[in-house]
Every structure is written in C-alpha cells, then in structure tokens.
Amino acid sequence: MDEPTRYDEKLGEILRQSATIFADRGFHQASVRDISAETGVSLSGLYYYFKSKEELLFLIQQHCFESLLVQVAAGLEGAVGPEARLRTLIEIHLGFFVANMPEMKVLSHEADALAGEYAARVLGLKRDYVALVRGCVEPLLPPDTSLDARTATFALFGQMNWIYNWYRPSRDPDAAGLARQMADLFIAGLHGARGSAADDAADDGSDEEKRALDVAPGALGAGGAL
Amino acid sequence: MDEPTRYDEKLGEILRQSATIFADRGFHQASVRDISAETGVSLSGLYYYFKSKEELLFLIQQHCFESLLVQVAAGLEGAVGPEARLRTLIEIHLGFFVANMPEMKVLSHEADALAGEYAARVLGLKRDYVALVRGCVEPLLPPDTSLDARTATFALFGQMNWIYNWYRPSRDPDAAGLARQMADLFIAGLHGARGSAADDAADDGSDEEKRALDVAPGALGAGGAL
DNA sequence: GGCGCGGTCGGACGTTCGTCCGAAGCCGAG
DNA sequence: CTCGGCTTCGGACGAACGTCCGACCGCGCC
C-alpha cells in the first residue's frame, strides 16, 4: 500500500482527462494533440506515459473496468438472498456509471476500438462481468418462464448501459433513484414474465413480413439534402 | 410512384454497403477508400452520389430512420388498446432492427458523428420517435407508480437498442421471439412496479458513498501492460 | 453520324494524424 | 556544486485521410 508516486498521479490525471475527451469526441475523432492541449502536456511528452494511443484507451478501459469489478464484488458480499443481490448489483453498477460517466461511456461505446491483445484482455474482464450479472439474474427467473437467461441479462445491461445516451443529472433522478426504478422495473418484469409459449400464437398469425428498408432512397430526396 | 432509376438503385446499393462498413469498422475509422473497394466504384466516382462523407452518413441515417417511422406508424394503426399498441411497437422496432442491423447499428452508435444541419435533421426525427414511444409507454404506467415516464421510456430503448452489442441470429431467438420476451419483461415490469417512494427508505440508509474511480492506476500496472 | 449529357475515373492537393528522435530541463543524492 | 536519472519538449517524418479537378466514356436523340 505505497503512496502513489508523482508518476502515478500524473498518469491518473491524464487517464481522467483523456476519458472525458474520448467520451465527448469519440476515440478515433479525438487526436493526441487534443489530449496534449487539454492536459497541458506536450505532444511528445504524453508518450512517456503510454506507448500508443491505443494503449491509452486500453489503460482507461482496464482501470475503469477493474474498479467496477472491485466495487461490485465488495457490495455483493453484504447482500443475502437473490433479490437483494440483484438490487445491490444494479445499484452499484448505476452508481458507478453515473459517478464515472466519461469512463463508462468510453468503456461502453468504444468497445470495438481495441484490437489484438488489448481487446482480448478487456473482453476477458467483460466476460467475467457478464457471467457475474447473469449469475444474479438467473436465480430470479420463474421456473416456468419462457424468458431465457441470456436475453434477460442483456436486456438488463441495455437498460443500464444505455443511460449515457440520455441521462442528464440536472433533469433526471440521481443514481439511487435511477437504480431503484430500474431494479423495480426489471425485477417485477422477471416475476411477472411467465407467459408460456403456447398462449401467444393467437395474438397475430399472419403478420410475418420482412421489415427491410423498402423505401427507395430517391424518395427521400424530396425532403431535400441539407 | 415512378420506378426507381438506375441512379436510385446504385445509390441505394452504396448506402447499403456503406452502412455495413460503418457498422463493422465505425464511421470515422472507415475510409472512403474502403467504401470504394467494397462497392467497386472508384474513389472520385463515389462523390457523384454524395458530396461528403458526412452526407453519406446522413443519408444512411435518414433513410433508415424514415423507413422505421413509416413501418411503426403503419403497424400502430391496426393496434387497439394500450398494451397491444406497446407490444406492436416493440415487435416492429425489434423486427426492423434485426432485419436492418447494420443500418440500425450505425443509427444508434454513430448518433454523435453528425454536426450542424445534418445532426439537427436526424435529431428531429429522433425526438419524434421518442415522443411516439413515450406515448405508448405512458398509458401503461400505474397511477400510483414512482416510475417516471422518461426513465421507463429510455429503459425500453436501452433494452431494445443494446442488442447490436450482443445479438447473434444463430444462437439467439429470432426477432419475433426477442420481441415477445422483451415485451413480456417490460410490460410486466410496468404493471408490477408500483412501489411507493415511502417504503424503500428502510432498505438502506447509510450506504451513500461516492463510487469514484479510487484505485490508483499504478496498482493496475502489476497486472502488466500488454 | 455527330452532339450532349449523365456517369465514371486517375491522379493529385493540402491537411491532419500517430509516432519518434535527440536534446534539454529539473531535482534530489552525494 | 556536480552528477545522473527521471521527465519534458520542439520539431520533424511518413502515412493516410477527405476532397476535387479535368478528362474520358457510352449511349440515346436529333
């Protein structure tokens, strides 16, 4: 438990500010020169802290993801019972997301920007986390449900991770309120979703059309370019 | 209702293939030269069909979004009753998403890539669509719920739009099955989520920590770079 | 047969990008 | 004061990018 060195502190600062820039402009759109301007570190000086732009992104994602995993694991220790575990997980995930919005946006939105070893390492963390969440969802699936665990798990991820597209702290509930609402919604959904596959064949039978893009692009030109 | 000209057909083909490339590599990462190679049209020849790469993205997004709006509006005409309307909307949205995954991924994932007039036009369509979906969600909110309509609406969007991150046709249910599961989950969630704000103050009182990134970046270095 | 035009193309221009090299600055230890 | 290492920097390099210019081609129409 050494005190962090000046190097560690400066690297942390660079990661923080870079995450904000990547969140705002997008990873590929943001240039290392942007980061240089924002941090005050010269262009070449940055390369003392990371050896490529891709490694910088990896460090942000790894740091963020590992912190999330640590916090979730710690929070789950005090939660007993399937529902309390899932509620706790949702609460911590959303709390972390809201408290570290730039990093989490970068983690969610730039998942495909890494390749090779970097991508493999982050993917490993992601798989662990998905398995952990799925482990919290599965015990709450009713025995007779037609809902499958994978779909339910990713539906929950979608609910939670989509927030970077719409959440504004000034108009929306705080993290705790958000977590309660989403937990209520999802858990009630799990409990209530016991529709068997048999009884829904009646609701529409003939409606099996392809939903392709069928409007000719030219027809849109009427609306006008720019 | 003129038959589409060769120009329209070729533009449509370019939009389709470009959408696939943008979905795979990302908008800023994909180059116009990539599109040239994929379509077989020369680099400069492409600029006969769009006047900038940004306009190309706009055309893809506009075309896709307008088709979606048309299909949803058409589907909603035959649906009576609040629950049937929401189920229909989910079914058509997911059906369209799965049938046009590249375009919808580009629409969802590259929302910030446009600026100026292009961004304003797509944003207008988006606002209309959000209002439409919200209008389908709101009638199903129980009168005594503490769930607010905005959060519920975006939770539904998150469930549905997140699928481009995980959905694989070979292992997951088809669009109809996906729609039924998500509709069951979300609608049961709405019906069941009538927790009043009063009774949840007991479940945790002291747990009000900040969930900041508190692990020093140096500590992660032990795991090792690359 | 010649004209005009919608469609296509090779090749280039200027800009911006990520990265790197060699030198300089800083500061605690001796 | 001097030394040596960590840290920082200006400036440059080659590659890749989006875009554009001027020429060419094929084909229906007078």
Side-chain angles (χ1 to χ4, degrees):
Chain A
M1 199 72 66
D2 311 341
E3 63 173 314
T5 66
R6 267 168 204 78
Y7 176 92
D8 289 331
E9 279 174 12
K10 189 152 186 178
L11 173 56
E13 190 64 15
I14 289 173
L15 293 188
R16 234 197 68 249
Q17 298 187 268
S18 300
T20 301
I21 293 174
F22 287 161
D24 283 349
R25 271 169 272 208
F27 173 69
H28 290 106
Q29 183 78 326
S31 72
V32 183
R33 284 164 178 83
D34 291 334
I35 294 167
S36 168
E38 191 75 20
T39 57
V41 181
S42 73
L43 184 57
S44 45
L46 288 171
Y47 280 82
Y48 181 72
Y49 289 93
F50 48 85
K51 66 176 189 290
S52 72
K53 191 189 177 193
E54 200 181 0
E55 184 185 85
L56 170 59
L57 177 60
F58 168 71
L59 290 174
I60 293 170
Q61 294 199 352
Q62 177 183 244
H63 180 203
C64 178
F65 218 148
E66 289 185 348
S67 298
L68 173 63
L69 281 164
V70 165
Q71 294 204 10
V72 167
L76 242 37
E77 281 180 12
V80 294
E83 181 164 334
R85 283 176 61 83
L86 183 55
R87 288 198 107 90
T88 301
L89 184 140
I90 293 172
E91 186 184 314
I92 295 180
H93 184 98
L94 286 173
F96 188 88
F97 210 130
V98 169
N100 306 282
M101 192 68 89
E103 283 85 356
M104 284 302 284
K105 175 169 179 183
V106 169
L107 187 56
S108 300
H109 198 259
E110 311 290 353
D112 292 347
L114 292 177
E117 188 70 19
Y118 293 138
R121 304 253 306 236
V122 175
L123 188 65
L125 292 169
K126 188 172 303 187
R127 271 204 259 262
D128 290 347
Y129 193 58
V130 169
L132 188 152
V133 172
R134 184 170 171 152
C136 288
V137 168
E138 236 155 1
L140 280 140
L141 284 172
D144 62 339
T145 191
S146 58
L147 203 59
D148 71 87
R150 180 172 147 90
T151 301
T153 301
F154 283 115
L156 176 59
F157 268 112
Q159 278 194 32
M160 297 193 298
N161 291 350
W162 195 248
I163 61 170
Y164 74 79
N165 284 292
W166 60 272
Y167 183 75
R168 298 291 172 268
S170 54
R171 74 184 304 199
D172 289 306
D174 65 9
L178 203 59
R180 198 182 47 73
Q181 292 197 40
M182 288 207 180
D184 286 349
L185 186 64
F186 185 73
I187 291 173
L190 285 185
H191 287 145
R194 27 176 67 102
S196 69
D199 64 6
D200 62 336
D203 85 354
D204 66 324
S206 64
D207 213 357
E208 198 68 18
E209 3 168 19
K210 297 195 322 184
R211 308 210 175 278
L213 278 169
D214 51 6
V215 182
L220 305 173
L226 194 81
Chain B
M1 199 72 64
D2 311 341
E3 61 172 316
T5 66
R6 269 169 203 74
Y7 175 92
D8 289 331
E9 280 175 11
K10 189 151 187 180
L11 174 56
E13 190 64 15
I14 290 173
L15 294 188
R16 234 198 66 250
Q17 298 187 267
S18 301
T20 301
I21 293 174
F22 288 160
D24 283 348
R25 272 169 272 206
F27 174 69
H28 290 108
Q29 184 77 325
S31 72
V32 183
R33 284 164 178 83
D34 291 335
I35 294 167
S36 168
E38 191 74 20
T39 58
V41 181
S42 73
L43 184 57
S44 46
L46 287 170
Y47 281 82
Y48 181 73
Y49 290 93
F50 50 84
K51 65 177 189 291
S52 71
K53 190 189 177 191
E54 200 181 359
E55 185 186 84
L56 171 59
L57 176 60
F58 169 72
L59 290 174
I60 293 170
Q61 294 199 353
Q62 177 183 246
H63 179 204
C64 177
F65 217 148
E66 289 184 348
S67 298
L68 172 62
L69 281 164
V70 164
Q71 294 205 8
V72 167
L76 242 36
E77 280 179 13
V80 293
E83 181 164 333
R85 282 177 61 84
L86 184 55
R87 288 199 106 90
T88 301
L89 184 138
I90 293 171
E91 185 185 314
I92 295 180
H93 184 98
L94 286 173
F96 188 88
F97 210 130
V98 169
N100 305 282
M101 192 67 90
E103 283 85 356
M104 285 301 285
K105 173 168 181 182
V106 169
L107 188 57
S108 300
H109 198 258
E110 311 290 353
D112 291 348
L114 292 176
E117 187 70 19
Y118 293 138
R121 305 252 306 237
V122 175
L123 188 65
L125 292 169
K126 188 172 305 189
R127 271 204 259 263
D128 290 347
Y129 192 57
V130 169
L132 188 152
V133 173
R134 185 171 169 152
C136 289
V137 168
E138 236 155 1
L140 280 137
L141 284 171
D144 63 339
T145 191
S146 60
L147 204 58
D148 70 87
R150 180 172 147 88
T151 301
T153 302
F154 283 115
L156 176 59
F157 268 111
Q159 277 193 34
M160 296 193 299
N161 291 350
W162 195 249
I163 61 169
Y164 73 79
N165 284 293
W166 60 272
Y167 183 76
R168 299 289 172 270
S170 54
R171 74 185 301 198
D172 289 305
D174 66 7
L178 204 59
R180 197 182 49 74
Q181 292 197 42
M182 287 206 180
D184 286 349
L185 186 64
F186 184 73
I187 291 173
L190 285 184
H191 287 145
R194 28 176 67 102
S196 69
D199 64 5
D200 62 336
D203 85 353
D204 66 324
S206 64
D207 214 358
E208 198 67 20
E209 4 168 17
K210 298 196 320 185
R211 309 212 175 275
L213 277 168
D214 49 8
V215 182
L220 304 173
L226 193 82

